[in-house]
Amino acid sequence: IQNNKQPIIMVGDCAEEFYHANASITKSKINFLDSISSIISSYSYDSILLARMAGQFAKPRSQKTETKNGITLPSYFGDMFNGKIFNECVRQIRAVRLLEAYDASCRIVNHVEACLQNCDKLTKDKLFFCHEAYNLFYDGSLTRKVNGIYYNLSTHMPWLGMRTVGSTSHVRFLSGIANPIGIKIGPLIDVQWLVQLLNTLNPLNEAGKIILITRLGYKEVHNVLPYLITTIQKYKMKVIWVCDPMHGNNEVTDNNFKTRHLDNILCEIQGTINVHFQNGSYMNGIHLETTYEDVTECTGGNVTNADLHRNYTSAVDPRLNPVQTNLVLKYYLNMLEAC
Ligand code: PEP
Ligand code: CO
């Protein structure tokens, strides 16, 4: 994971849904990941794929409630909490969904095992799962002691989302497990506070333990990232840097579609690589929200604003379709090659 020839590629849905947990959808997802692996190997890189999969069912939301036609209900917090349909019963938060999430995740993992046999480039040792460790009832209950050390066995790499980065219970849970941990970093991060957080989560300064996922937005990269990098360098903290060029570049269209423009995504990737380069640091990977389906959720490439209504199916955030994913991936790999 620390080899510069081995970029970390995080991809997948913003929110998985329970109905994804079947053989045919899993096959499509794995084929898509395999096509991503093929592109990466055509650049002679040996990637690590982290799929937002088999557990990405919990979503923190900025707004706790949603109002439509004068009716206010709880927001959709991911299938692990409640359902997406705007209906009083469906939006109720139900604990039984924890069991459904576990069942769905197990089914996905089992289907993945079978699908990997038909892959061209993707192999089991290159594919890992990740999800946001948001629902501690889920991640906590699947944490076990193995040879005297606690691991969150529900995933390989849990991450601390931007909305819970200051939550003592989430930080406390993550400080007790030996998994590698992702940390999402937004533009309002207090860098000194981040240093304390890293001391808590990685007191031995172990290499490969912390993956800092910056999602600053293309406008803020040059303002925020240099100080972040130089501070981490000053304290000699070992971290892996990944750029999430999606979550800082949300916009809402006049027709009320939450979207992201490809140009802004590319701009954040370019800015992030440049700032790392200028500061003697290195961007180790990229984090995208993607799907194998030909959706119209992000604009740019083969999607215009006028297309957004055509096939917008994401449960939460807008994802890149395969054409857009390939464009972004190749843009990143070309830059990497030039570094
Ligand atoms: C996400 O990755 O879907 C997400 C909610 O990210 P963030 O915490 O960075 O906003
Ligand atoms: Co998202």
Side-chain angles (χ1 to χ4, degrees):
I1 207 162
Q2 294 158 66
N3 183 341
N4 289 352
K5 285 277 166 216
Q6 211 172 20
I8 296 164
I9 313 288
M10 282 177 79
V11 282
D13 298 286
C14 181
E16 284 180 284
E17 296 179 69
F18 288 162
Y19 81 86
H20 294 182
N22 61 46
S24 98
I25 291 183
T26 306
K27 182 163 175 258
S28 301
K29 289 188 179 191
I30 291 298
N31 286 345
F32 181 54
L33 293 178
D34 192 28
S35 73
I36 288 176
S37 293
S38 297
I39 294 175
I40 298 162
S41 58
S42 74
Y43 281 77
S44 308
Y45 286 116
D46 187 20
S47 64
I48 291 176
L49 237 67
L50 274 165
R52 296 171 58 113
M53 209 173 158
Q56 178 52 19
F57 293 116
K59 298 302 302 170
R61 304 308 301 265
S62 307
Q63 307 297 332
K64 300 295 168 221
T65 59
E66 187 180 347
T67 301
K68 265 188 199 170
N69 304 325
I71 299 168
T72 299
L73 297 176
S75 297
Y76 170 57
F77 285 92
D79 277 10
M80 192 188 285
F81 284 95
N82 58 3
K84 187 170 71 165
I85 296 167
F86 193 79
N87 160 310
E88 197 178 336
C89 295
V90 178
R91 284 288 172 95
Q92 253 181 52
I93 290 167
R94 295 183 199 279
V96 70
R97 284 177 171 272
L98 289 166
L99 294 177
E100 290 180 67
Y102 175 69
D103 281 348
S105 301
C106 290
R107 281 203 300 280
I108 292 168
V109 172
N110 289 336
H111 292 313
V112 166
E113 295 266 344
C115 296
L116 279 170
Q117 287 162 16
N118 299 319
C119 283
D120 188 21
K121 287 283 186 276
L122 186 62
T123 50
K124 192 176 172 179
D125 59 325
K126 298 286 160 54
L127 175 64
F128 300 88
F129 296 120
C130 61
H131 69 242
E132 177 167 354
Y134 178 54
N135 190 333
L136 297 179
F137 292 107
Y138 184 78
D139 289 82
S141 66
L142 293 171
T143 295
R144 298 278 186 283
K145 214 175 193 175
V146 183
N147 298 332
I149 300 171
Y150 285 101
Y151 289 90
N152 177 355
L153 298 179
S154 70
T155 188
H156 295 106
M157 191 197 82
W159 79 79
L160 183 62
M162 196 198 68
R163 284 160 200 79
T164 47
V165 87
S167 151
T168 33
S169 45
H170 289 81
V171 171
R172 191 145 179 250
F173 168 69
L174 291 170
S175 70
I177 56 170
N179 305 54
I181 293 169
I183 305 172
K184 289 284 204 112
I185 299 194
L188 300 178
I189 190 79
D190 175 335
V191 180
Q192 289 308 324
W193 181 86
L194 176 68
V195 168
Q196 283 176 30
L197 176 68
L198 295 182
N199 277 326
T200 306
L201 293 179
N202 190 19
L204 301 178
N205 202 19
E206 207 184 320
K209 167 79 186 180
I210 299 286
I211 295 86
L212 292 185
I213 308 165
T214 57
R215 30 88 81 226
L216 304 171
Y218 76 97
K219 289 183 190 147
E220 290 297 331
V221 172
H222 293 275
N223 299 328
V224 180
L225 192 56
Y227 182 55
L228 201 56
I229 293 173
T230 52
T231 308
I232 296 290
Q233 286 170 336
K234 182 173 131 200
Y235 290 100
K236 297 191 166 42
M237 293 182 138
K238 292 180 183 143
V239 301
I240 288 166
W241 294 96
V242 169
C243 169
D244 166 0
M246 310 293 289
H247 288 87
N249 294 313
N250 287 338
E251 48 188 295
V252 180
T253 65
D254 294 341
N255 298 339
N256 230 12
F257 283 107
K258 188 178 181 186
T259 189
R260 293 151 170 168
H261 200 284
L262 218 60
D263 288 343
N264 299 338
I265 291 169
L266 300 182
C267 195
E268 180 159 355
I269 295 171
Q270 180 187 27
T272 304
I273 290 179
N274 286 342
V275 172
H276 277 288
F277 184 74
Q278 286 152 10
N279 288 280
S281 176
Y282 186 78
M283 182 179 125
N284 303 78
I286 193 168
H287 169 290
L288 306 172
E289 285 184 337
T290 58
T291 175
Y292 67 92
E293 289 179 289
D294 191 18
V295 297
T296 55
E297 298 172 2
C298 294
T299 52
N302 60 351
V303 180
T304 66
N305 263 5
D307 294 316
L308 286 173
H309 71 279
R310 209 158 35 76
N311 194 19
Y312 197 116
T313 58
S314 176
V316 183
D317 285 336
R319 301 159 297 175
L320 300 167
N321 64 32
V323 170
Q324 296 170 323
T325 305
N326 289 358
L327 284 170
V328 174
L329 202 58
K330 287 180 179 169
Y331 181 85
Y332 163 61
L333 292 167
N334 282 330
M335 279 205 81
L336 204 60
E337 240 177 13
C339 275

